[in-house]
Amino acid sequence: MKIIKSKQLYMAARERIPGAVNSPVRAWRAVGGVPLFITRGKGAHIFDVDGNDFIDFVGSWGPLILGHAHPCVLRELQDALLKGTTFGAPTEQELALATKVCRLVPSIEKLRLVNSGTEATMTAIRLARAFTQRSKIVKFDGCYHGHSDGLLVKAGSGIATLGLPDSPGVVAALAAETLVARYNDHDAVQEVFHSYGDDIAAVIVEPVCGNMGVIPPAPGFLSHLRKITRRSRSVLIFDEVITGFRLAPGGAQELYRITPDLTCLGKILGGGLPLAAFGGRGEIMNLLAPEGPVYQAGTLSGNPLAVRAGLATLKWISRRGTYRVLEKKAKYLADGFAQVLAKYRITGTINRVGSMMTLFFGVDRVRNSEEARQCDRERFARFFHGMLQRAIYLPPAPFEALMVSLAHTEADLRKTIEAFDSWSAGETR
Ligand SMILES: *Cc1c(COP(=O)(O)O)cnc(C)c1O
């Protein structure tokens, strides 16, 4: 495989764009090497500037559940384009999308469209604080909710601690308003509520974690969160930016039958264009301006192109059989990976919920961020590059989710398993 133009572009881009990328994980720092510059995608495949063809399991980090350049999405976009790209005024399609989302996710009575998941979580928290008139929030170590200041915090040592800034520029006093608990740990949650119960405005959680690699909720964990937030009258926020429309039409809350107060959506919602949303109980959402006093706004919010792409995607996935097919494809791939691990006696574990999964090397099980961090990152980097050499494009970091889409064919998945077998043979020789 020849990679020449990507290297040239990377060197040139670094002069003008920090790290040559517009979002850090794209720079491949966790695996080394130079990121590929992509020219186009079709179905489950992407093509780089040197003309190489890869089977893509990043799917733009989640949105592309239908694959790249899906005809249905393109048709909507072409029609929308000719009518103008933005008006800064309400459109009929925004109502159509809002109605569709409320039908698919019944806990959402009202919602607002924004441009990114970061905006959605940031504003959901502002609303929760206004609603409860409390200031502290609880998040879980390893869950990612975008890069707003209050959510860019890390845990201290211990199962439940005051948050510390996870980036220079985040003010310590603000980080301390965020309490950080260990994921899947009932006692940690109990502990923060015991110490700060009356100050806690909200608990925000990825109901299935996708950002420390895939980690499913332990049995009873989500219902524990529901009970404890209800009892202490704090707001339960499900960050379903990845899981929304991926695990079921109604997301993880449908799969695990838990009703949050607020939900954040993104990624699939925009069908590959910048779109996200937060929504939930009408009583809380009515606090939002102009209905209520909590301010939030956006020049391009509810952008017609993004709304049309999202609506086309949601219509497509609402067809019967979508989630059965996704499950079948993803299970086939995970089973294939597991057989290869066993065949070559490679220690590792595969966490999978529906069409999202992570292969952790060097560990037997991963239930929280501490266990995730114990995985073998060097082997992961070799795995990533070995697969890339075999034309498989995986997330370029060990703590990310591999995404299976409706566009992956059986042949794509078989080739991926064969590539893993071939790499493993070399790795263990
Ligand atoms: C991607 C992601 C976000 C942030 O969304 P952006 O659109 O990248 O700002 C928030 N929460 C979760 C769970 C995500 O996976």
Side-chain angles (χ1 to χ4, degrees), residues 116-118 144-146 206 211 239 241-242 267:
S116 70
T118 294
Y144 176 70
H145 305 292
E206 287 183 78
N211 285 292
D239 180 351
V241 171
I242 292 185
K267 299 197 168 118

Side-chain angles (χ1 to χ4, degrees), residues 74-398:
L74 293 189
R75 211 174 308 124
E76 285 296 309
L77 278 174
Q78 272 156 354
D79 184 61
L81 257 178
L82 299 177
K83 294 177 172 155
T85 57
T86 176
F87 311 115
T91 62
E92 200 173 340
Q93 280 74 31
E94 289 166 78
L95 170 62
L97 182 61
T99 308
K100 181 83 182 164
V101 170
C102 293
R103 201 169 292 147
L104 294 176
V105 190
S107 75
I108 301 183
E109 294 168 6
K110 284 191 174 184
L111 68 153
R112 176 153 291 170
L113 300 179
V114 292
N115 303 298
S116 70
T118 294
E119 273 183 86
T121 55
M122 178 181 85
T123 318
I125 282 166
R126 184 179 302 152
L127 262 183
R129 283 179 166 145
F131 180 71
T132 57
Q133 302 186 357
R134 301 172 179 177
S135 67
K136 293 211 183 311
I137 59 168
V138 177
K139 85 174 277 281
F140 294 92
D141 190 25
C143 283
Y144 176 70
H145 305 292
H147 62 88
S148 71
D149 283 354
L151 290 166
L152 215 54
V153 299
K154 61 181 174 188
S157 54
I159 60 168
T161 62
L162 287 181
L164 303 169
D166 202 15
S167 162
V170 172
V171 174
L174 185 59
E177 294 298 303
T178 305
L179 307 162
V180 185
R182 189 193 279 161
Y183 194 73
N184 276 337
D185 189 331
H186 290 49
D187 295 342
V189 178
Q190 208 81 43
E191 193 176 305
V192 281
F193 271 90
H194 182 72
S195 307
Y196 298 99
D198 293 340
D199 293 331
I200 296 172
V203 172
I204 185 166
V205 65
E206 287 183 78
V208 172
C209 192
N211 285 292
M212 44 185 151
V214 171
I215 301 185
F221 180 63
L222 297 175
S223 65
H224 179 61
L225 295 183
R226 182 62 284 185
K227 270 187 223 128
I228 204 161
T229 47
R230 192 165 277 145
R231 200 182 315 134
S232 64
R233 276 182 250 136
S234 4
V235 175
L236 180 60
I237 305 172
F238 272 11
D239 180 351
E240 297 227 40
V241 171
I242 292 185
T243 54
F245 314 112
R246 176 164 289 280
L247 301 185
Q253 54 194 272
E254 176 180 333
L255 195 63
Y256 296 98
R257 296 166 205 248
I258 306 288
T259 307
D261 301 303
L262 294 177
T263 299
C264 299
L265 298 167
K267 299 197 168 118
I268 290 173
L269 179 69
L273 272 81
L275 185 67
F278 59 96
R281 281 163 56 192
E283 175 189 15
I284 304 178
M285 292 303 292
N286 284 338
L287 288 176
L288 204 58
E291 206 81 59
V294 178
Y295 194 69
Q296 182 276 336
T299 301
L300 292 176
S301 290
N303 174 262
L305 294 181
V307 166
R308 290 284 289 273
L311 203 48
T313 301
L314 296 195
K315 279 187 186 152
W316 189 271
I317 59 166
S318 307
R319 295 159 16 134
R320 258 213 346 252
T322 292
Y323 295 89
R324 192 169 38 76
V325 170
L326 278 172
E327 171 67 23
K328 193 170 145 220
K329 289 177 193 285
K331 183 171 188 307
Y332 175 80
L333 185 63
D335 289 351
F337 280 171
Q339 278 164 16
V340 173
L341 286 179
K343 176 175 167 190
Y344 295 96
R345 296 167 194 263
I346 297 174
T347 308
T349 189
I350 298 159
N351 280 3
R352 179 180 75 88
V353 181
S355 58
M356 53 197 279
M357 70 180 86
T358 299
L359 169 46
F360 295 97
F361 288 107
V363 287
D364 294 324
R365 60 178 185 188
V366 175
R367 294 163 303 179
N368 55 46
S369 58
E370 266 169 53
E371 291 178 355
R373 280 192 284 266
Q374 282 156 19
C375 78
D376 185 342
R377 299 172 205 203
E378 271 126 55
R379 180 164 266 182
F380 180 88
R382 291 197 299 276
F383 164 63
F384 170 82
H385 284 290
M387 295 297 274
L388 193 73
Q389 282 301 318
R390 293 166 177 83
I392 313 294
Y393 187 86
L394 299 173

